[in-house]
Amino acid sequence: MIQRTPLYDSHRAAHGRIVNFADWEMPINYGSQIEEHHAVRQDAGMFDVSHMLAIDLTGGESQAFLRHLLANDVAKLTVPGKALYSCLLQEDGGVIDDLIVYFFTPTHYRIVVNVGTAEKDLGWIQLQAADYAVSLKPRRDLGVIAVQGPQARERFWTAFPASRAASEALVPFQAAEWNDWLIARTGYTGEDGFEIAVPATAAAGVWEKLVAVGIRPCGLGARDTLRLEAGMNLYGQDMDEAQNPLESGLAWTVDFKDAARDFIGKSALARRRSAGNLREFLGLVLIDKGVLRAHQRVITAQGDGEITSGSFSPTLNQSIALARLPVGVVIGDTVEVAVRDKLLRAKVVKPTFVRHGKSLI
Amino acid sequence: MNIPADLKYTPSHEWIKQEADGTVTIGITDHAQEALGDIVFLELPEPGLLVKVGEECAVVESVKAASDIYAPLAGEVVARNEDAMGAPESVNQDAYAAWLFRLKPANPADLGLLLDAAAYEKVAAE
């Protein structure tokens, strides 16, 4: 059953080109995804992310539950509103989803998961929660807008000046409540900005006010090129249940520091780590002309690898990709990529290409 | 929808223009460029290449996908648009000005088999 966010009419009014995205009618662009991409890197753009699922977790054992459920350790979150990025793992270390979890109190957290995996995640979390004194509440009553870019926060405050006091001091990856809104300094673009969760009934009005202060509506096409340039993984492409975080560039999100903490997937990952020979997860920049895309075969001196995500980088004006490569491939290597009937040359780089508008490669 | 009356078309959204010297110029329609989104790379056939009708002979890559272009007529490629190759976004800006390649048709009568503007309009509306 196809669903629409509270902003569907706003997208149509802005000439959004609507596509079916995980059974939601979403705008892929509003005319030019490249122009939208540049708007976020240079100024301010905004995305409807209401289709993603927020799940509120409350109850006396919330912290203990999440410390068992997630590969990253929520015990690190002690300041109200602070958030972290984590994988949700299977017992065998495979990735069920990636998500962000916000801490409010030791008995109140919010988890935000991807739209395509929401039902799967909810089922898994409910199953795992059976032994814990916690309650789960999926929030389908929200509209969420991500305002991103170097001017995003300023423009947001121009539209909503009364929110400034509550949100000005937020550090990256921290959220604050303002009336019945949650303002979080998070995003999926590599630029500064806010993700604002509001009651669904208020969403369209908020969007219109943000349009009025010059924040450009941006679609899913730009969202993908922005996150790829920022080296941010996309679940379902860069990792899935058949891949572990250590071979997906996500070792930094798995927290082994507290030896007494047993989390789902821990022993499988520890075994994998001590066995060694973990495959590399690195970036590619195409030297020859063309476009790198997911699933293309990469030929290296150490054997074959595979592109997990590939596209065109508007900021760098060349094609970039993330790839899972054989052990021993290093940054600086030149490799070949099979594109249709040709072998194109690519350079191996670290898997982050642009940050705060600047090239890193 | 922008569908010039003086051109011929294929169901796969190519346009064909008859030139005075008997060659034909080929590009993709405005409908096609809009569906593809921002175009970032063109792979065009080299002059001298012989193509059969319906043979995949070029690729137009947008950010989101690679789209094959098929020879609307059999013949010999005589030119390709090097300017467009250097500025692929020009196809989005004006799909009828940013031609892709030129053919010397093996059988000029085959032009009669192509769609006229009215017939293409029906195809594009589907």
Side-chain angles (χ1 to χ4, degrees):
Chain A
M1 196 199 81
I2 285 247
Q3 299 187 77
R4 290 178 178 173
T5 74
L7 295 171
Y8 177 80
D9 289 339
S10 309
H11 300 318
R12 295 299 305 267
H15 308 292
R17 208 185 159 80
I18 305 292
V19 298
N20 179 333
F21 182 77
D23 285 339
W24 288 75
E25 292 199 294
M26 298 299 289
I28 190 152
N29 64 58
Y30 300 83
S32 166
Q33 71 169 91
I34 288 184
E35 282 180 25
E36 291 156 35
H37 179 114
H38 289 317
V40 171
R41 287 273 177 255
Q42 293 161 14
D43 188 351
M46 62 182 173
F47 302 86
D48 176 7
V49 293
S50 310
H51 56 317
M52 297 183 73
L53 181 63
I55 305 166
D56 283 340
L57 173 76
T58 53
E61 291 188 304
S62 294
Q63 192 189 77
F65 172 57
L66 289 178
R67 294 193 81 208
H68 169 68
L69 181 75
L70 300 177
N72 209 343
D73 190 354
V74 300
K76 289 186 293 211
L77 303 175
T78 54
V79 172
K82 203 74 180 67
L84 57 70
Y85 170 63
S86 178
C87 287
L88 184 66
L89 300 180
Q90 299 175 153
E91 289 291 355
D92 69 356
V95 185
I96 298 172
D97 203 2
D98 63 345
L99 52 85
I100 292 191
V101 53
Y102 298 84
F103 163 79
F104 299 113
T105 73
T107 57
H108 181 202
Y109 292 79
R110 173 173 288 180
I111 303 165
V112 181
V113 299
N114 286 305
V115 61
T117 45
E119 295 314 309
K120 173 181 74 160
D121 293 355
L122 207 44
W124 171 259
I125 295 171
Q126 279 164 342
L127 184 68
Q128 301 306 322
D131 296 331
Y132 291 84
V134 294
S135 294
L136 293 168
K137 185 175 168 196
R139 299 296 302 270
R140 279 278 170 231
D141 57 323
L142 301 172
V144 190
I145 299 169
V147 188
Q148 302 281 299
Q151 303 305 323
R153 294 187 310 143
E154 279 301 332
R155 287 192 190 267
F156 175 75
W157 290 322
T158 302
F160 300 102
S163 74
R164 195 171 184 130
S167 57
E168 198 166 22
L170 288 173
V171 297
F173 259 81
Q174 187 187 14
E177 286 176 279
W178 178 61
N179 298 332
D180 51 1
W181 294 13
L182 185 70
I183 301 170
R185 196 171 177 187
T186 48
Y188 191 50
T189 60
E191 298 303 317
D192 201 353
F194 287 139
E195 296 184 303
I196 306 113
V198 307
T201 47
V206 172
W207 180 275
E208 297 317 315
K209 282 221 170 88
L210 296 173
V211 169
V213 297
I215 301 179
R216 184 166 184 155
C218 299
L220 296 174
R223 189 165 166 79
D224 190 49
T225 51
L226 286 161
R227 71 92 192 168
L228 184 62
E229 283 185 355
M232 293 172 167
N233 286 27
L234 175 62
Y235 185 79
Q237 277 195 221
D238 301 310
M239 69 287 193
D240 55 30
E241 288 162 2
Q243 304 297 341
N244 67 66
L246 308 179
E247 294 179 303
S248 307
L250 299 176
W252 66 276
T253 71
V254 182
D255 192 337
F256 288 101
K257 279 197 229 73
D258 183 352
R261 178 175 82 106
D262 185 29
F263 58 88
I264 301 171
K266 179 180 183 179
S267 48
L269 286 188
R271 270 198 308 277
R272 198 67 197 79
R273 205 170 56 155
S274 45
N277 280 344
L278 290 167
R279 285 170 296 166
E280 313 291 347
F281 188 84
L282 293 166
L284 295 177
V285 177
L286 190 59
I287 298 168
D288 293 321
K289 287 192 161 281
V291 184
L292 299 174
R293 300 200 191 268
H295 310 301
Q296 285 168 344
R297 187 168 62 101
V298 184
I299 298 124
T300 81
Q302 290 80 10
D304 282 0
E306 184 174 318
I307 288 179
T308 57
S309 289
S311 189
F312 179 78
S313 160
T315 302
L316 302 176
N317 203 32
Q318 52 188 151
S319 183
I320 59 174
L322 295 172
R324 192 167 282 114
L325 300 170
V327 182
V329 175
V330 297
I331 290 168
D333 284 353
T334 298
V335 297
E336 288 179 312
V337 183
V339 177
R340 288 188 291 277
D341 55 347
K342 293 195 176 66
L343 290 178
L344 303 181
R345 289 167 307 152
K347 194 169 88 152
V348 180
V349 296
K350 66 175 191 212
T352 306
F353 308 85
V354 175
R355 199 50 75 97
H356 296 309
K358 305 243 181 331
S359 170
L360 296 177
I361 55 156
Chain B
M1 217 186 309
N2 184 8
I3 304 175
D6 61 328
L7 301 177
K8 295 281 200 189
Y9 299 87
T10 66
S12 48
H13 310 289
E14 289 103 15
W15 57 261
I16 301 94
K17 181 171 181 230
Q18 244 176 308
E19 303 292 351
D21 63 359
T23 63
V24 295
T25 303
I26 292 147
I28 62 168
T29 64
D30 189 52
H31 173 90
Q33 70 76 19
E34 218 203 295
L36 285 170
D38 293 315
I39 293 165
V40 296
F41 178 62
L42 300 173
E43 202 178 288
L44 301 178
E46 290 198 42
L49 184 70
L50 298 175
V51 295
K52 299 199 257 287
V53 66
E55 192 178 328
E56 186 246 286
C57 62
V59 181
V60 174
E61 295 221 50
S62 68
V63 184
K64 66 178 187 186
S67 187
D68 294 325
I69 306 301
Y70 305 96
L73 304 165
E76 182 190 339
V77 176
V78 298
R80 64 183 183 178
N81 191 341
E82 303 278 343
D83 289 342
M85 286 168 71
E89 67 278 5
S90 60
V91 179
N92 293 118
Q93 283 151 15
D94 189 338
Y96 299 107
W99 59 280
L100 298 181
F101 59 97
R102 270 191 194 113
L103 270 189
K104 189 165 89 172
N107 185 7
D110 287 344
L111 263 144
L113 300 171
L114 300 169
L115 303 174
D116 64 11
Y120 176 65
E121 189 167 358
K122 291 203 189 75
V123 166
E126 277 157 26

